[in-house]
Amino acid sequence: MTKEFSVPPVVFRSGGGVNPPAGNVNQRRVPTAPFQPSRPPSSSSSAIPFMSFDIGSAPSSSGSFGGTISTSGASGSASFDDEEPLLDELGIHPGQIWHKTKSILNPFRVNPTAHKDSDLSGPIFLYLSLCLFQLLAGKIQFGVILGWIVVSSIFLYIVFNMLAGRNGNLDLHTCTSVVGYCMLPVVILSAASLFIPQGSSVPRYALAGVFVVWATRACTNLMVTLADGGEEHRGLIAYACFLIYTLFSLLVIF
Amino acid sequence: MAIFNTQGEEGCVQIIVQPAGKEQMNPFGDALYGAGTDLIKTELGAYGEKLFRSGSAYVPGNISRYFSNPQYYFQVSDQYVMNKLKLILFPFLHKGHWMRATETVGGEFSYKPPIHDINAPDLYIPLMAFGTYVVLAGFFLGINGKFSPEAVGLQATNGLLCWLFQVLLLEATLHTLGDGDVPLLDIIAYGGYTFAVVSVVLLCRILWSHCFYVVTLWECFCMGMLLVKIMKRILIAEVRRSENHSSKRHYLLLLVAVAQVPLLFWLGNIAV
């Protein structure tokens, strides 16, 4: 990078008043507010032309998650106000997540409209809360739970699509989203099992059984309504979901 | 995808970072149907043969040489699963014959799918039985206080090894006695029926630990009988050039039945 730094001479003045070096120092300290839309390039050339970063939302930043982060030069384009809110840019919609989570809370009636567009941020949040409750119980199982979620969603994806045959149109994103959201009962189980005495006892098994059945019902209902081809294989898919959630409840009980 | 662009004149660095968008998630769903892509092979290759499923519509030439269409094995129904489980667990109670029903579809000779024929192999029961075995093994470990996720993974690996061993045993027998032109997925299905049996053994062991040996021996007998009947049927009906009524055939079938004993004991004996 060949460029010239033109450093103004440092002049120490005895008197007060605004002296240009001080003004430059002020300007140097100012980069914490780089979002100055009206900063013509000429002013920067008069000041010390060191590296300055302007974070502006450059073009082609749409609503999809993971947009474009561009750090351009002194010619800052769009301003801070034109940027999208961070959560929207990442694709996390807390209202939608809360709505979907609430719909799992009722095991007897499924509400598939909330789950029509799948997202993975709710499942990630539920995964983190499950790991948190396991951590409170003294088990550090972050990697294990994540690995098991991935494997079990691939398993359910394969089983569902194979059973549904030619008209099976479940995709992996929806599958992972449904499996993740239906982990809510397991999260509640892990929270509840913090208060039940440790050790393998029948009340623990019974409690786990209730939550596993709840999760299975929710998952089966959602899978069958969200993707075609699963109607006549309800029991078969239910057994696959049951296996998955029993596996997770084993992590919680023991 | 990151583009680093250094502009010299103003001394500033322009970085454009564009991570993958949502539309790149779907090829993973399509890739499973466009079978045999590198993505599948590298990412799922570690999980063993049960993930080498190719899709229904697109079966490239390479895969179809080794695997028949896996969609056939999943055409099951609740009724079929119930009856087949009864068949596997109590093969001596089967009143009918063991031959598979055939149909001629457009001049081509093929077998009826499992939903219409109790004797047809399927892949749903082996897959679910394997999952049940892993879950029951985890439960058994937990009851004895030895639960850990690594132990469950170890049991799953043991189970996969055992499945592989069963498949090799059956394939070896078929190749020795005939030309062994049976589809590989058929043999995988027959090998996987062991897990239904082992799950019952484990369930009994959980409920009452002293009945382990009796139940295992009983189930060895059942499994041996099941496999021998299936192999006999395959040798009679599906394999050309097979030698009938030879002592070699009898000894090999006996070997298949006897080999179930150490296998089931190995699977049922979860190290506690």
Side-chain angles (χ1 to χ4, degrees):
Chain A
M1 193 164 24
T2 60
K3 47 171 308 303
E4 297 288 329
F5 286 95
S6 58
V7 182
V10 176
V11 172
F12 293 106
R13 300 216 182 152
S14 54
V18 181
N19 37 1
N24 284 346
V25 168
N26 279 343
Q27 207 167 2
R28 204 179 300 142
R29 289 218 187 99
V30 129
T32 52
F35 313 111
Q36 294 160 7
S38 56
R39 222 183 112 190
S42 59
S43 72
S44 66
S45 62
S46 67
I48 303 178
F50 59 92
M51 289 214 266
S52 65
F53 292 102
D54 261 355
I55 300 186
S57 67
S60 79
S61 159
S62 56
S64 66
F65 86 99
T68 309
I69 306 170
S70 83
T71 62
S72 56
S75 57
S77 43
S79 68
F80 180 56
D81 297 323
D82 288 350
E83 263 193 15
E84 278 187 74
L86 179 66
L87 283 186
D88 273 352
E89 198 161 309
L90 291 175
I92 303 176
H93 309 287
Q96 196 188 24
I97 294 179
W98 175 239
H99 198 49
K100 286 190 190 181
T101 313
K102 250 194 331 183
S103 75
I104 307 278
L105 279 177
N106 180 8
F108 299 111
R109 203 170 0 128
V110 65
N111 183 14
T113 51
H115 288 264
K116 273 271 183 315
D117 44 342
S118 53
D119 78 306
L120 286 183
S121 39
I124 289 184
F125 172 69
L126 283 173
Y127 154 72
L128 284 176
S129 49
L130 177 63
C131 294
L132 171 73
F133 288 128
Q134 289 289 85
L135 198 61
L136 286 175
K139 312 171 201 169
I140 305 181
Q141 288 168 343
F142 286 83
V144 168
I145 297 180
L146 185 64
W148 283 14
I149 287 183
V150 170
V151 170
S152 57
S153 74
I154 293 179
F155 173 74
L156 193 59
Y157 167 75
I158 290 177
V159 168
F160 188 93
N161 275 331
M162 284 297 180
L163 280 178
R166 288 198 182 271
N167 48 355
N169 66 348
L170 184 71
D171 62 331
L172 195 60
H173 196 253
T174 311
C175 187
T176 314
S177 172
V178 168
V179 168
Y181 271 112
C182 295
M183 290 281 268
L184 176 70
V186 181
V187 173
I188 299 180
L189 169 69
S190 68
S193 72
L194 288 174
F195 298 105
I196 300 186
Q198 256 298 358
S200 47
S201 55
V202 178
R204 270 178 97 95
Y205 300 155
L207 189 68
V210 167
F211 282 105
V212 164
V213 168
W214 174 9
T216 312
R217 268 192 82 101
C219 189
T220 318
N221 285 336
L222 276 178
M223 296 290 270
V224 165
T225 29
L226 281 179
D228 342 311
E231 248 322 308
E232 61 265 15
H233 298 120
R234 216 186 167 96
L236 305 179
I237 294 170
Y239 187 66
C241 297
F242 176 73
L243 282 182
I244 293 176
Y245 291 113
T246 315
L247 205 59
F248 283 105
S249 70
L250 284 183
L251 274 182
V252 172
I253 310 177
F254 296 116
Chain B
M1 173 171 83
I3 305 171
F4 294 92
N5 187 6
T6 309
Q7 298 169 348
E9 57 275 34
E10 279 184 293
C12 300
V13 177
Q14 188 172 20
I15 305 172
I16 299 177
V17 175
Q18 200 171 31
K22 200 179 248 195
E23 55 271 21
Q24 287 202 12
M25 293 275 229
N26 278 334
F28 196 80
D30 294 333
L32 205 58
Y33 282 144
T37 57
D38 284 348
L39 178 70
I40 299 292
K41 284 208 169 67
T42 51
E43 289 199 14
L44 302 183
Y47 290 102
E49 60 187 48
K50 79 174 154 82
L51 287 175
F52 277 144
R53 301 278 183 261
S54 50
S56 58
Y58 308 108
V59 179
N62 261 347
I63 305 276
S64 66
R65 239 188 315 132
Y66 298 114
F67 294 114
S68 45
N69 175 23
Q71 202 74 56
Y72 166 83
Y73 299 93
F74 280 92
Q75 289 167 328
V76 292
S77 68
D78 285 355
Q79 195 60 29
Y80 168 82
V81 169
M82 285 287 117
N83 289 337
K84 189 77 182 199
L85 278 176
K86 273 193 282 192
L87 188 70
I88 294 172
L89 295 175
F90 308 109
F92 39 85
L93 288 179
H94 187 216
K95 298 285 185 300
H97 55 80
W98 292 78
M99 308 302 290
R100 281 168 78 175
T102 64
E103 60 187 3
T104 326
V105 173
E108 225 183 76
F109 167 81
S110 69
Y111 290 108
K112 278 201 181 141
I115 205 171
H116 296 127
D117 178 20
I118 190 68
N119 288 320
D122 73 306
L123 277 174
Y124 174 80
I125 292 182
L127 213 56
M128 291 301 137
F130 180 70
T132 313
Y133 168 70
V134 170
V135 168
L136 281 176
F139 195 65
F140 182 69
L141 282 170
I143 286 190
N144 294 322
K146 297 270 192 345
F147 180 85
S148 80
E150 289 78 24
V152 172
L154 185 69
Q155 284 306 316
T157 318
N158 270 350
L160 279 179
L161 272 178
C162 198
W163 200 345
L164 181 70
F165 180 71
Q166 281 272 51
V167 167
L168 287 176
L169 180 72
L170 291 175
E171 277 281 351
T173 313
L174 279 178
H175 277 275
T176 321
L177 290 178
D179 61 2
D181 201 14
V182 185
L184 183 62
L185 283 182
D186 273 16
I187 308 292
I188 291 180
Y190 295 134
Y193 287 145
T194 330
F195 289 106
V197 161
V198 173
S199 303
V200 170
V201 169
L202 267 188
L203 195 62
C204 291
R205 196 172 179 195
I206 287 174
L207 291 175
W208 186 37
S209 64
H210 292 285
C211 66
F212 174 53
Y213 290 105
V214 174
V215 174
T216 312
L217 280 173
W218 174 250
E219 294 290 351
C220 290
F221 168 68
C222 290
M223 192 65 201
M225 180 173 178
L226 179 79
L227 281 181
V228 164
K229 289 250 192 267
I230 289 179
M231 296 300 284
K232 261 174 74 170
R233 185 250 295 154
I234 293 179
L235 286 168
I236 292 173
E238 297 170 31
V239 174
R240 307 173 284 271
R241 275 200 299 120
S242 69
E243 345 162 348
N244 289 333
H245 305 297
S246 66
S247 65
K248 182 162 117 178
R249 183 166 123 168
H250 290 153
Y251 280 133
L252 272 177
L253 289 180
L254 195 61
L255 174 73
V256 166
V258 164
Q260 301 304 306
V261 176
L263 215 62
L264 287 198
F265 269 103
W266 177 30
L267 277 180
N269 182 31
I270 299 180
V272 219

